[in-house]
Amino acid sequence: ASGYGTQSIRLGKDAIKDFDCCCLSLQPCQDPVVTPDGYLYEKQAILEYILHQKTEIAKKMKAYEKQKQAQKSNSQLESKSEERERVERFKTRENSIVSKPINPFTSGQNKGSEKGRTDSSSAEASSAGSAATSSQSLPSFWIPSLTPEAKPTLLKKPSKAVLCPMSGRHIKMNELISVRFTPLDSSLDRVALLTRQDRYVCAVTRDALGNSVPCAVLRPSGAVVTQECVEKLIKKDMIDPVTGDKLSDKDIIPLQRV
């Protein structure tokens, strides 16, 4: 019945956080706020998280801009070096052009000697090329100058959007909605209230709230009501029973169970 020995097991009470606990600190909220997706957070915890994420995004953006400037400078240096090599090649070609008088009596001998020189030079070049290719194909990993080097990892442009740690969607400070839980006994202080099993009730029907009771938050007032109250009472006239404001479907935010 408990599921031991199978792919699924029954989670105990300690494995599930209470419905009024923060999704970050996992502690009961003193100043609770809820996101439009229905995730409950302690106001101080979620604001610190958003500020931390903005600082990290600023650091990543600074590193990305630094990499971008380095790539730009490297491309400029490469273009200058290519231009310099092109000029040097042009100079060497121009200097190799020499006009000499041709002697008709020695032209044949010169051609034969030049042919022998070209053959020997081509043989030397081919041997040097084969040695170079063999050295490139078989690098000596124990020599520091011949060891392969890893290319630097290119950074991608970071997104400036701060994401919700639970839903992964974009989150803003001005989209957080303050939540007002209705205590079961208003005469009790917070410490005495947290020690009780049933500490909050529905703002309309006064039914006890718990992990097994689906709840929803009304955006205009921040009141927490049961989902049964929403279906049977609130959706009939779509009016907030606490403030009297007109409600839309987006104003009724179901609390997510994590």
Side-chain angles (χ1 to χ4, degrees):
S2 60
Y4 285 103
T6 62
Q7 293 293 332
S8 60
I9 62 173
R10 182 179 299 173
L11 296 177
K13 182 178 179 299
D14 296 336
I16 304 174
K17 74 176 186 64
D18 290 336
F19 71 98
D20 60 335
C21 290
C22 172
C23 291
L24 286 175
S25 64
L26 304 180
Q27 299 297 320
C29 296
Q30 297 184 14
D31 188 7
V33 292
V34 70
T35 64
D37 295 325
Y39 291 98
L40 192 71
Y41 295 101
E42 176 67 37
K43 188 175 184 179
Q44 181 180 357
I46 190 62
L47 292 184
E48 288 179 357
Y49 170 82
I50 292 175
L51 292 176
H52 176 72
Q53 290 299 315
K54 287 186 176 181
T55 305
E56 291 296 322
I57 290 172
K59 289 181 181 178
K60 292 179 181 178
M61 186 62 70
K62 189 175 180 181
Y64 174 76
E65 293 295 335
K66 187 177 179 180
Q67 173 187 276
K68 195 174 179 181
Q69 291 294 333
Q71 289 178 345
K72 187 177 181 180
S73 61
N74 290 336
S75 63
Q76 291 177 353
L77 290 175
E78 289 177 358
S79 62
K80 288 181 180 179
S81 63
E82 290 176 359
E83 183 67 23
R84 196 180 299 111
E85 290 177 359
R86 195 180 300 112
V87 172
E88 291 296 332
R89 287 197 301 268
F90 178 77
K91 286 183 179 179
T92 54
R93 284 198 300 268
E94 288 295 322
N95 293 331
S96 64
I97 300 175
V98 179
S99 60
K100 293 182 180 180
I102 300 175
N103 191 348
F105 299 101
T106 59
S107 60
Q109 298 176 359
N110 293 336
K111 287 181 179 179
S113 60
E114 287 177 358
K115 185 177 181 182
R117 290 197 200 97
T118 53
D119 293 339
S120 60
S121 62
S122 62
E124 291 176 357
S126 62
S127 61
S130 62
T133 53
S134 63
S135 64
Q136 290 177 0
S137 60
L138 297 174
S140 301
F141 291 100
W142 54 88
I143 301 177
S145 60
L146 297 179
T147 54
E149 296 181 357
K151 295 181 180 180
T153 304
L154 296 179
L155 301 175
K156 295 182 180 180
K157 186 176 182 181
S159 175
K160 295 184 178 180
V162 179
L163 303 181
C164 176
M166 300 303 297
S167 65
R169 296 183 180 179
H170 184 43
I171 185 174
K172 295 181 180 179
M173 291 185 182
N174 56 3
E175 292 180 351
L176 300 176
I177 304 159
S178 297
V179 178
R180 294 192 302 113
F181 286 104
T182 305
L184 179 64
D185 189 355
S186 58
S187 61
L188 298 176
D189 58 355
R190 184 174 180 276
V191 177
L193 193 65
L194 291 178
T195 57
R196 303 188 59 167
Q197 180 70 26
D198 298 330
R199 43 183 179 264
Y200 297 116
V201 295
C202 174
V204 178
T205 62
R206 297 294 172 177
D207 293 333
L209 303 180
N211 288 343
S212 59
V213 180
C215 304
V217 178
L218 304 180
R219 187 190 295 265
S221 61
V224 181
V225 296
T226 61
Q227 197 68 34
E228 184 181 4
C229 174
V230 172
E231 297 294 335
K232 293 183 177 180
L233 299 177
I234 297 176
K235 281 192 174 181
K236 288 184 177 180
D237 49 8
M238 295 299 287
I239 294 177
D240 191 328
V242 179
T243 61
D245 297 331
K246 191 71 177 176
L247 295 175
S248 63
D249 291 336
K250 293 183 178 180
D251 293 332
I252 302 174
I253 305 170
L255 280 181
Q256 300 293 335
R257 300 288 186 220
V258 183

